[in-house]
Amino acid sequence: MLDTFMGSGTTAVACKETGRHFIGFEINKEYYNIAIDRINGITQQDKKLKEAGFTNIFDFMEEE
């Protein structure tokens, strides 16, 4: 899938969930960052909670 106006990454997330390949372009840095977070499974609510000082169990897990 080629998405020339990626926005917040909805199409990218759908492609990831259905096992399809995806290429996307986004010129707006703010939307790009939102899309990257969404693709990686991070919601805006998760980011707001973390900024407010809340943590969850996954924050303590080490990456392998």
Side-chain angles (χ1 to χ4, degrees), residues 31-50:
Y31 279 115
Y32 169 80
N33 290 330
I34 291 169
I36 294 299
D37 288 342
R38 288 189 69 202
I39 291 167
N40 291 322
I42 302 169
T43 65
Q44 293 301 303
Q45 183 179 8
D46 293 338
K47 289 183 79 171
K48 288 178 184 176
L49 288 173
K50 193 165 193 169

Side-chain angles (χ1 to χ4, degrees), residues 9-55:
T10 302
T11 302
V13 172
C15 287
K16 184 176 179 181
E17 290 176 354
T18 58
R20 289 171 166 63
H21 296 282
F22 177 83
I23 297 174
F25 299 94
E26 181 52 58
I27 195 168
N28 184 307
K29 182 74 170 173
E30 196 171 322
Y31 279 115
Y32 169 80
N33 290 330
I34 291 169
I36 294 299
D37 288 342
R38 288 189 69 202
I39 291 167
N40 291 322
I42 302 169
T43 65
Q44 293 301 303
Q45 183 179 8
D46 293 338
K47 289 183 79 171
K48 288 178 184 176
L49 288 173
K50 193 165 193 169
E51 289 171 3
F54 292 95
T55 58

